[in-house]
Amino acid sequence: SDLIGEREGAPGLFLAGDFATDDGTFVCLFGGWGFGPQDDLHMMSVRHLRQAFNGTLHKLVFNPSNIAGDMSPLPAYGQAFTPLVDDGAEGGPAKFEDEQVAPPGCTLVLVSGGHLSGGYRRESRSWALLVIAPNGSASWVIPPAAWNEGTLSRPQPRAWHQAVYVPAQFCGPEYPRGCVISLGGNVSQNPSNSMDILDL
């Protein structure tokens, strides 16, 4: 899209919304590297995408979306983007929901890690939840974390890692609300096979 410009550094590309209607489901593009680390969000409805696929629309346009709130992660590239959605759930995608974090029906996307500086330097341990409502509005939320209370260790700073949501039904009793597993990537500017588990 002309509005986005050239992007590298693994910008996030994911679906969010109600997952039931073309107008309420969005293709979301976030961040990456373009003249420095980016922390902007652009969105396009699935209806718009379908029109492009069937030939009635000849140009894809992602529209910029303002993100409310001031609890965003630090701008970085090489981040991981993890929608807290079980795509394989019976009856369609099932979202992780927590009314203390966001109203029902919202899609929660965990944005974590990345490099803070050019040259693949300064891995980040920053993280936040990007909350996308069915109407397309977006906001940042950082829920209270156990490591702030000194009971658990914080995730390692890492970039270019993979982070996957594991729904509760696939976890043991230790993770009754599910978890996110972060694996590999760069840690201290070196390839890593380490793993962090974020208990939801």
Side-chain angles (χ1 to χ4, degrees), residues 68-69 71 84 95-110 127-133 137-145 177 198-200:
M71 292 188 282
L84 304 186
K95 303 173 188 176
F96 174 88
E97 294 190 342
D98 185 334
E99 293 190 18
Q100 294 182 340
V101 175
C106 292
T107 304
L108 306 181
V109 182
L110 179 68
W127 69 282
L129 288 173
L130 178 58
V131 179
I132 299 178
S137 63
S139 60
W140 288 114
V141 175
I142 300 180
R177 304 197 66 201
L198 179 63
D199 184 356
L200 297 174

Side-chain angles (χ1 to χ4, degrees), residues 35-164:
F35 301 104
Q38 303 296 303
D39 59 357
D40 54 346
L41 174 67
H42 291 74
M43 302 175 69
M44 173 177 56
S45 72
V46 167
R47 180 179 299 280
H48 189 103
L49 188 64
R50 287 189 192 277
Q51 290 173 342
F53 285 158
N54 65 26
T56 59
L57 189 70
H58 300 291
K59 186 176 183 180
L60 294 177
V61 177
F62 283 85
N63 296 308
S65 177
N66 293 323
I67 308 176
D70 57 0
M71 292 188 282
S72 64
L74 296 172
Y77 62 100
Q79 296 170 301
F81 303 90
T82 312
L84 304 186
V85 178
D86 180 5
D87 293 323
E90 186 175 349
K95 303 173 188 176
F96 174 88
E97 294 190 342
D98 185 334
E99 293 190 18
Q100 294 182 340
V101 175
C106 292
T107 304
L108 306 181
V109 182
L110 179 68
V111 181
S112 62
H115 284 294
L116 300 172
S117 302
Y120 307 104
R121 294 179 294 112
R122 296 180 60 213
E123 293 92 354
S124 173
R125 66 173 7 137
S126 179
W127 69 282
L129 288 173
L130 178 58
V131 179
I132 299 178
N135 65 2
S137 63
S139 60
W140 288 114
V141 175
I142 300 180
W147 55 75
N148 291 333
E149 302 169 3
T151 57
L152 290 173
S153 60
R154 293 187 65 176
Q156 296 183 82
R158 65 175 74 232
W160 304 104
H161 54 296
Q162 294 293 319
V164 62

